[in-house]
Amino acid sequence: MTVTRREMLAATAAALAAPLVAPAPAGAAGAAQAAQAARMAPKFFTAPEFALLDELSDLIIPTDAHSPGARVAGVATFIDFRLSESLDTDQQAKWHSGLAAVDTLSQELHGKAFLQGTPEQRLAVLTKMAAGEKDAKTLAEHFFQQLKGWTVRAYYSSKVGIHADQQYKGNVYQRGDYAGYDAT
């Protein structure tokens, strides 16, 4: 049996690509779950840090009657991705130490880690951090400034923030007050 050059290249390419292709879970639901898990797996943060960031961002921009919150918009995933691609190691270190400072403050106030606290205790920690926002002195207060800025930026650059919250409709002709000048 002779093997042509073309067949050899095809077999080699298939052998090299096989480890890169993971078997899909059974059914459409399994495929959707696998895709969701891949999207949600943190790239920069540890799993506990990511969970803490996700909760903090959702406390800053919660779901309400007007629009979904930061969790639905994927704010933590956006921040995680941006930091995973960053070459600024100082910025990355600030995020790690800032999240640790949140847990430390929670320990001081309530004797437990932030995510172990009740919703009221979590809100109290966030409120304490925000109280010093204008004249930040502690690491947690400095971190709150950074956390809030990145959360707002990530939320309002997401599809949820643009379309659901801001109700942006795209390039459409505006009628009524403030519609602009009609040059015709």
Side-chain angles (χ1 to χ4, degrees):
M1 176 177 157
T2 60
V3 177
T4 67
R5 182 172 182 259
R6 182 178 303 261
E7 293 169 336
M8 180 59 79
L9 287 173
T12 303
L16 290 173
L20 301 176
V21 179
Q33 286 176 338
Q36 173 79 8
R39 263 195 323 274
M40 293 301 294
K43 296 176 182 350
F44 171 74
F45 293 112
T46 64
E49 286 175 329
F50 185 84
L52 177 57
L53 174 61
D54 191 44
E55 181 63 22
L56 286 166
S57 65
D58 203 57
L59 283 172
I60 292 172
I61 304 177
T63 297
D64 59 16
H66 178 68
S67 63
R71 182 171 288 129
V72 175
V75 167
T77 303
F78 176 85
I79 293 171
D80 178 66
F81 176 75
R82 291 292 305 263
L83 288 169
S84 74
E85 296 290 317
S86 175
L87 299 177
D88 187 351
T89 56
D90 291 337
Q91 180 78 332
Q92 292 172 331
K94 286 179 183 177
W95 277 90
H96 287 302
S97 62
L99 290 170
V102 172
D103 266 338
T104 300
L105 179 59
S106 182
Q107 287 284 353
E108 291 170 5
L109 295 176
H110 307 294
K112 55 180 91 167
F114 185 84
L115 291 176
Q116 310 304 293
T118 65
E120 293 79 21
Q121 290 171 331
R122 293 176 185 184
L123 188 58
V125 171
L126 192 66
T127 302
K128 175 106 171 115
M129 291 168 48
E133 180 181 13
K134 298 289 183 202
D135 187 27
K137 292 180 176 50
T138 67
L139 179 58
E141 291 168 344
H142 282 287
F143 177 66
F144 178 77
Q145 293 173 329
Q146 183 177 22
L147 172 67
K148 181 179 155 186
W150 279 57
T151 297
V152 169
R153 185 176 316 117
Y155 182 78
Y156 287 107
S157 61
S158 73
K159 186 174 185 174
V160 169
I162 292 169
H163 295 286
D165 189 71
Q166 295 295 308
Q167 298 176 352
Y168 178 70
K169 301 200 180 8
N171 296 329
V172 297
Y173 183 74
Q174 303 292 316
R175 298 186 190 287
D177 291 341
Y178 310 107
Y181 178 72
D182 188 4
T184 58

